[in-house]
Amino acid sequence: MVTNGTRVTGQGTSQIAEINDEMKEQMRLRKACGDFEAFLVSYLLRQMWQAAEAIGGEKPFMSQAYRDLFTFEFAQSLVPFMKLGIAEALYRELSRK
């Protein structure tokens, strides 16, 4: 059996489909782990917003719903550069068989 990227030559289509299904499952797990890390970072950012508002005594410049959406999107874009390793550690732990 020769493996070439995502294709396996010299085997039946059932093994190819099995490999593709396994790769799709790994990709879904990796995305879920990344989303979880982004959720944790967004939670920390929300707590920082609330602490800053409490200290400053000012009203927020945007509604809570918009701020939460902004914070989560910001966290998702920030996580790859932070290299916290939470998503990777979680992925390694959950992908064990």
Side-chain angles (χ1 to χ4, degrees):
M1 174 174 71
V2 178
T3 304
N4 183 9
T6 59
R7 294 185 331 160
V8 178
T9 57
Q11 296 294 325
T13 57
S14 64
Q15 285 187 330
I16 293 171
E18 190 176 299
I19 290 172
N20 284 339
D21 289 343
E22 185 177 324
M23 289 178 65
K24 287 178 185 177
E25 186 64 29
Q26 288 176 355
M27 288 172 53
R28 282 192 293 262
L29 179 60
R30 191 167 291 280
K31 179 170 179 358
C33 292
D35 288 346
F36 180 75
E37 185 174 17
F39 174 77
L40 288 176
V41 170
S42 71
Y43 178 78
L44 293 173
L45 289 172
R46 277 194 307 251
Q47 296 302 311
M48 289 170 40
W49 279 86
Q50 289 174 356
E53 289 169 0
I55 292 170
E58 295 180 18
K59 289 186 176 184
F61 64 92
M62 65 177 93
S63 74
Q64 184 71 32
Y66 285 123
R67 186 174 62 189
D68 287 346
L69 287 172
F70 168 78
T71 303
F72 186 72
E73 291 298 319
F74 181 66
Q76 280 189 315
S77 65
L78 188 64
V79 163
F81 300 105
M82 294 178 70
K83 299 184 184 198
L84 297 175
I86 296 170
E88 186 61 33
L90 188 60
Y91 174 79
R92 277 187 269 132
E93 187 64 33
L94 294 175
S95 64
R96 288 187 195 173
K97 293 184 179 181

